[in-house]
Amino acid sequence: MSQLALHQQLSWQEVLAATPMDSAELCNLLALELDCLPAAHPLLKQFPLRVPAPYLKRIEKGNPADPLLLQIFPGTEEALSTPGFSLDPVGESEANPKPGILHKYKGRALLLVTSSCAIHCRYCFRRHFPYEDNNPGKEHWRESLAYLKQDSSITEVILSGGDPLTLPDKYLAWFMAELADISHIRRIRIHTRLPIMIPQRITPDLCKLLANPRFQTILVIHSNHAQEFDDEVDAACLALKKAGITLLNQSVLLKHINDSSEALVALSERLFEAGVLPYYLHLLDRVSGAAHFDVPAETGIELIRELRAQLPGYLVPKLVREIPGQKAKTPVG
Ligand SMILES: *Cc1c(COP(=O)(O)O)cnc(C)c1O
Ligand code: SF4
């Protein structure tokens, strides 16, 4: 069996444990010569190459422009510094009432429950986030829960990170049980790339745990391109849907990855085939090291206009950007 097919025999924990990779190995597997940051570069040390096997096998061999490859490949352009691109582009450090919790918007609080991810997306706005202070463990989780408890205006809790589904079930179960005791919380929302990255993470046990009748549960998967889907991803989404979980998608508009109406139409249609509705299309948060992904707002507006002309309204995502200090994501166009 080939190295890339092997993952189907493994547990999700084993696939997750095997995600760190060096760029030489990546180039080798994909039969490519790429212009990578040197392994000892501080940017790569701080935010290493990380890619899960199920995603890796959807990348086309020998194609340096593959839209999945471009999301994970640490190229030398990350080292360029570009005016207007900063370390904390969304002002998170200011909305951090306690370590591990962000409360920026009315009714919704976001918990950073882990700093781990199954994949390192090179455009990630949290790539420089001070995770050491926000990877709290149970001690600080209790403080976050106390914060949620004392503010009855919070009706929705968003589990984020990192990727919350990299946590073992027993931690998620603990969270769900603690949150269930706070009567004003009605919705749990989980932002995760795991159904795409490691579809076997969506086990029957996890579905049962998430389908807690005490809440409405929403899973926001983060997919940027139709090619990220295959039968395994479809099966994971179907299992979640059967458990009564609402599935939404948010994407980031990324240069050379999905900045064409063809790519975005294909993504919306593919999402719907998997039972997922498009939610947001984000303009890139201008984080340093990611300038090569940036698409101008005007292009985004034009693309959304084209989507409206080609798709039913429910398949057109909302184009938004995050402006620090605003009370919600800001609609664009
Ligand atoms: C994006 C975000 C939310 C969720 O916003 P929605 O518009 O409800 O999707 C909540 N809290 C924080 C801190 C966020 O960045
Ligand atoms: S999965 Fe999300 S948090 Fe993790 S690196 Fe990718 S975009 Fe960032």
Side-chain angles (χ1 to χ4, degrees):
M1 183 175 304
S2 86
Q3 196 170 351
L4 289 183
L6 197 64
H7 74 270
Q8 278 161 319
Q9 314 295 318
L10 302 176
S11 71
W12 71 265
Q13 291 92 341
E14 289 168 315
V15 178
L16 182 62
T19 52
M21 182 173 263
D22 72 50
S23 8
E25 190 185 353
L26 178 74
C27 293
N28 218 354
L29 279 171
L30 296 175
L32 283 171
E33 275 181 43
L34 297 166
D35 195 12
C36 282
L37 283 176
H41 197 285
L43 284 172
L44 207 47
K45 283 228 171 298
Q46 195 232 341
F47 192 61
L49 172 61
R50 191 180 268 276
V51 51
Y55 179 88
L56 192 56
K57 81 169 176 177
R58 300 175 208 136
I59 298 177
E60 189 194 348
K61 277 195 180 169
N63 178 9
D66 183 278
L68 275 57
L69 173 64
L70 296 179
Q71 296 181 49
I72 52 133
F73 160 67
T76 48
E77 62 272 41
E78 287 190 16
L80 303 173
S81 96
T82 310
F85 285 73
S86 72
L87 295 179
D88 180 19
V90 301
E92 279 202 335
S93 11
E94 276 143 57
N96 216 186
K98 299 232 182 262
I101 188 162
L102 294 169
H103 189 197
K104 285 207 278 199
Y105 302 153
K106 189 169 186 304
R108 288 149 291 169
L110 187 151
L111 300 187
L112 300 162
V113 294
T114 174
S115 62
S116 300
C117 292
I119 180 170
H120 280 169
C121 316
R122 305 316 297 182
Y123 55 83
C124 180
F125 75 96
R126 291 213 173 102
R127 54 178 297 165
H128 309 285
F129 199 60
Y131 272 127
E132 318 79 68
D133 310 334
N134 278 281
N135 199 18
K138 260 194 187 168
E139 196 90 337
H140 284 110
W141 290 349
R142 286 197 195 285
E143 278 184 47
S144 298
L145 289 163
Y147 180 87
L148 297 175
K149 212 169 278 179
Q150 54 79 42
D151 187 342
S152 62
S153 73
I154 298 170
T155 52
E156 178 166 339
V157 172
I158 301 171
L159 304 186
S160 184
D163 196 312
L165 294 190
T166 60
L167 286 177
D169 285 358
K170 64 172 181 189
Y171 291 110
L172 294 170
W174 182 84
F175 261 113
M176 293 297 269
E178 293 287 324
L179 293 169
D181 276 347
I182 306 176
S183 59
H184 49 267
I185 297 170
R186 297 204 291 266
R187 292 183 302 278
I188 303 289
R189 188 198 319 178
I190 298 176
H191 280 254
T192 176
R193 293 201 87 186
L194 263 288
I196 305 259
M197 297 306 147
I198 307 182
Q200 60 262 60
R201 173 68 185 99
I202 311 305
T203 59
D205 281 350
L206 178 70
C207 289
K208 204 172 340 148
L209 192 164
L210 296 179
N212 187 328
R214 164 68 183 74
F215 310 105
Q216 284 174 293
T217 307
I218 303 133
L219 219 90
V220 185
I221 66 169
H222 290 213
S223 175
N224 298 312
H225 197 278
Q227 194 185 315
E228 292 170 28
F229 285 80
D230 63 9
D231 292 349
E232 294 168 42
V233 176
D234 283 341
C237 291
L238 184 65
L240 290 163
K241 250 185 105 78
K242 280 194 172 151
I245 293 157
T246 301
L247 294 177
L248 303 175
N249 180 63
Q250 88 181 26
S251 312
V252 180
L253 184 58
L254 298 165
K255 195 164 167 183
H256 302 315
I257 294 173
N258 60 12
D259 59 337
S260 69
S261 60
E262 295 75 22
L264 292 172
V265 165
L267 174 59
S268 277
E269 291 188 325
R270 191 64 187 83
L271 285 166
F272 196 67
E273 273 169 41
V276 185
L277 281 172
Y279 178 37
Y280 281 146
L281 177 61
H282 278 265
L283 292 177
L284 185 78
D285 295 313
R286 311 189 97 193
V287 65
S288 80
H292 55 291
F293 290 113
D294 196 35
V295 177
E298 305 73 53
T299 309
I301 293 167
E302 183 50 36
L303 286 168
I304 290 291
R305 204 170 285 149
E306 290 171 34
L307 291 196
R308 280 202 200 100
Q310 293 186 50
L311 288 170
Y314 60 87
L315 290 187
V316 181
K318 297 178 187 74
L319 182 66
V320 292
R321 75 160 17 130
E322 182 135 357
I323 301 177
Q326 296 294 305
K327 292 281 168 217
K329 310 277 187 253
T330 304
V332 179

